[in-house]
Amino acid sequence: MTTQVAETDHGASGEGAGHAVPLGVLAGIFVVLLGLTFLTVAATWVQLGALNIWIALGIALVKAVLVALYFMHLRYDSPFNGMVLAAALAFVILFIGITIIDSRQYAPAVEAAAPAPPLAPAPPAAPEAPLGVSEESLRK
């Protein structure tokens, strides 16, 4: 019985030699990742309510896909693997976002306004009537 070694994109040897990515491409992706990190920080400067979390998660999704495609060499693998990764990351972001939105409903409300001034002291309370004595008899 003979076995055949299938020829792959990595060469006829069958050893999984890595794909060499040009340094310019890696540097470009690095600059894009730095820009997206700055954009994530800048998104916190604008108050958009519940939309802020979706913006941050969307940027995180793009960053994760870029890292996986270029630094983990999925771009040079089967396109199906890249699509599976992107879909999986999108679902993770979706599930995290829905969980955060749902957990905000149960968290105590935090007011952004300044704390209220202290209350004025309450006036002294009227003395209570001893047991068995009515208030009307005390007024007489």
Side-chain angles (χ1 to χ4, degrees), residues 11-23:
S13 65
E15 298 175 19
H19 183 273
V21 181
L23 187 59

Side-chain angles (χ1 to χ4, degrees), residues 19-43:
H19 183 273
V21 181
L23 187 59
V25 172
L26 294 178
I29 295 299
F30 177 69
V31 170
V32 170
L33 289 172
L34 286 177
L36 288 171
T37 300
F38 176 77
L39 188 62
T40 303
V41 173

Side-chain angles (χ1 to χ4, degrees), residues 33-133:
L33 289 172
L34 286 177
L36 288 171
T37 300
F38 176 77
L39 188 62
T40 303
V41 173
T44 64
W45 300 336
V46 180
Q47 292 301 324
L48 299 174
L51 194 59
N52 275 16
I53 189 67
W54 292 106
I55 290 172
L57 288 172
I59 294 170
L61 173 67
V62 171
K63 288 168 53 176
V65 168
L66 284 174
V67 166
L69 288 178
Y70 289 95
F71 293 110
M72 296 173 66
H73 305 276
L74 272 180
R75 184 183 187 301
Y76 307 103
D77 200 3
S78 169
F80 178 74
N81 291 339
M83 289 189 307
V84 168
L85 173 76
L89 289 175
F91 276 107
V92 167
I93 298 294
L94 180 71
F95 295 151
I96 290 172
I98 291 172
T99 302
I100 289 172
I101 289 173
D102 186 53
S103 66
R104 283 186 182 174
Q105 179 181 357
Y106 301 108
V110 178
E111 294 189 26
L119 297 174
E128 291 186 22
L131 289 176
V133 179

